[in-house]
Amino acid sequence: MKKLINTPDTFIADALYGLALANADLRVDHQNRIIYRAEPTRAGKVGLISGGGSGHEPLHGGYVGLGMLDAACAGQIFTSPTPDQILEATKQVDAGAGVLYIVKNYTGDVMNFDMAAELATAETGVEVATLLVNDDVAVQDSLYTAGRRGVGLTVLLEKIVGAAAEQGQDLVTLTALARDINAKGRSMGVALTSCTVPAVGKPTFDLPENEMEIGIGIHGEPGRHRVPLGTAKEIAEQLLTPILADVDFTASPVIVLLNGMGGTPLLELYLMYGEVAKLLKRSGITVARNLVGNYITALDMAGCSVTLLKADEHLLKLWDAPVKTSGLRWGI
Amino acid sequence: MKKLINTPDTFIADALYGLALANADLRVDHQNRIIYRAEPTRAGKVGLISGGGSGHEPLHGGYVGLGMLDAACAGQIFTSPTPDQILEATKQVDAGAGVLYIVKNYTGDVMNFDMAAELATAETGVEVATLLVNDDVAVQDSLYTAGRRGVGLTVLLEKIVGAAAEQGQDLVTLTALARDINAKGRSMGVALTSCTVPAVGKPTFDLPENEMEIGIGIHGEPGRHRVPLGTAKEIAEQLLTPILADVDFTASPVIVLLNGMGGTPLLELYLMYGEVAKLLKRSGITVARNLVGNYITALDMAGCSVTLLKADEHLLKLWDAPVKTSGLRWGI
């Protein structure tokens, strides 16, 4: 295992230390591993909280800031944050208008965010709503999930709902918006290599030199099948076909996220974007916006994922609204 | 070799195709492998051109846009662009105020940019100035360089000189500014793994599981020495010590670039930033601004580099000016 770390035990603590030093707009509660905006939540604004296992950066800490999240709870690598952590974040970001949890559909995350919501309501009376993201068309159930996993769409959802929250929309409206986005987005990924969890010290799985795993999860959990390593054009087709079979994306323009898994260089991601864009055009789908880069990763895994989101004028306007986080920034 | 490509022969062409589709603000001359801003250079504005071998993305194509470069000439992987390419870019971006070439100090790049400058002057009379970036303190000469190599400082220099060019400063002023920045910045890198050039199909060099290469170049050319893989804290010290021995950085605040080599995930980069920031504080150096991420890469190499730039109020103001490129964006 070759990593820029001190010890596996201090990996997350050391990384959060650096994140905090690098970003004056953030405040990090190191003991509870919570990343907040430096400024407290504006009175009357709904607080947006997300979180999950670490190892997917910039998700979620990199999306805390103006126009996106109010707080992110970081678990250990690929391990859910605890209910106590989430409860603490809830108390901190509530500004009288309630709190929305954005939760990727993994069993541990769902359970712990649910428990935190119950505790928060019981202890403080704060109103909490939860939105489960489950956009991954690869598998119905998986190693860590009942139902579909939550993956790349989470980034787009946090951006768009974050913009609406910044505008002062209420908890019911934001929850409906988040549900709408979740219904309109789909994702699928591929791994060329495994990732290596520092505490384990060796790759999570073996993937022979001439094979790839189609439909991989963001923790290295198995996908649909292993197949011979294909060309970029073939891979784009293998990722898009199940997405397009699941939802009709021809009716309105789409936002495309071509996401790197952490170990794949940008040049290959742009190349993949080109292949995906060609196929979308051929399928009669119009691309309104795109993101190409590492936005939701799996440590050092080589590979990529594709996310499509149907986006009408309303969603595009929220997408274009200013955002200032370490992971996404424009208009400010 | 596991890469998201079609064939090694079409790697760059396919990637430029995707880059162009993803960025409406860019215009790509595919035949000449030149990335331009979509809008022609404003009359009276100095044109800024950079370029070099591909494989270092987002450098340079990702830095074409408002507030940075006017054009980037992309060579094949780790191969200089040709004089003809650079000449064509020069003709295109000249808007009557001359053109500044920003060239990383590698023998092939220096030669071809020099030749292009001569051709441009002879054929068109356009005034061309050149700035060589040579910030790498690792080695005096290297496999591809006489003198020090140009590495991470190139990113900071393109940003700051780009802002000054946008303000309408003239060629002499911009050249002096670029020279000043080059004098005030230093870099050093480390590799944990080699990179793999697609056309070669295997790693450029072997690096045993328990070793790292200190002072690596951005093409995988040798550095200072191979040493046992250290902790992040030790690595930060090994990178900073030669930088701080070369220039006194205590007199004014610094801009820090903690750069990933392409295959290292963001979590490790933030961790390294924390270690670097601690050492800088202990050395009495004040950090005014920072960048943490993949900004000048070496394909899929795992590792990082550190760049420090002494930045007075004037440079910081130019640093903070709006920039809108696919690789750097703020204020707009």
Side-chain angles (χ1 to χ4, degrees), chain A residues 255-307:
Chain A
I255 301 175
V256 181
L257 166 61
L258 194 301
N259 172 64
M261 290 295 190
T264 288
L266 193 55
L267 201 55
E268 295 177 41
L269 299 180
Y270 272 118
L271 190 151
M272 279 301 300
Y273 180 77
E275 297 299 335
V276 164
K278 262 187 244 176
L279 287 176
L280 291 177
K281 194 173 177 190
R282 199 198 299 162
S283 305
I285 296 165
T286 308
V287 178
R289 304 287 186 278
N290 73 81
L291 276 183
V292 181
N294 293 308
Y295 292 98
I296 171 172
T297 60
L299 292 169
D300 52 352
M301 183 184 279
C304 72
S305 64
V306 178
T307 299

Side-chain angles (χ1 to χ4, degrees), chain B residues 32-72:
Chain B
N32 291 304
R33 292 195 311 272
I34 307 172
I35 299 117
Y36 297 104
R37 302 190 195 187
E39 297 288 314
T41 313
R42 202 176 65 230
K45 179 190 170 299
V46 171
L48 294 192
I49 299 180
S50 191
S54 293
H56 309 300
E57 291 67 23
L59 188 91
H60 296 276
Y63 301 136
V64 173
L66 191 75
M68 279 185 92
L69 302 176
D70 294 279

Side-chain angles (χ1 to χ4, degrees), chain B residues 63-176:
Chain B
Y63 301 136
V64 173
L66 191 75
M68 279 185 92
L69 302 176
D70 294 279
C73 302
Q76 294 293 347
I77 295 288
F78 298 167
T79 303
S80 302
T82 64
D84 280 358
Q85 244 181 303
I86 305 163
L87 174 62
E88 171 62 20
T90 308
K91 290 177 182 170
Q92 291 284 330
V93 308
D94 177 49
V99 171
L100 177 61
Y101 293 166
I102 298 172
V103 183
K104 303 191 299 302
N105 188 37
Y106 294 94
T107 306
D109 290 8
V110 173
M111 202 170 65
N112 290 358
F113 272 95
D114 273 355
M115 207 173 298
E118 276 175 40
L119 292 169
T121 308
E123 281 189 26
T124 66
V126 55
E127 199 180 352
V128 175
T130 298
L131 185 282
L132 289 187
V133 189
N134 60 351
D135 56 313
D136 189 348
V137 301
V139 289
Q140 185 49 41
D141 300 301
S142 81
L143 204 52
Y144 309 114
T145 332
R148 286 179 168 181
R149 300 174 296 211
V151 288
L153 184 63
T154 316
V155 179
L156 310 186
L157 192 147
E158 290 178 359
K159 166 65 186 84
I160 296 172
V161 176
E166 215 65 63
Q167 291 176 356
Q169 296 184 19
D170 66 22
L171 186 57
V172 171
T173 310
L174 293 177
T175 309

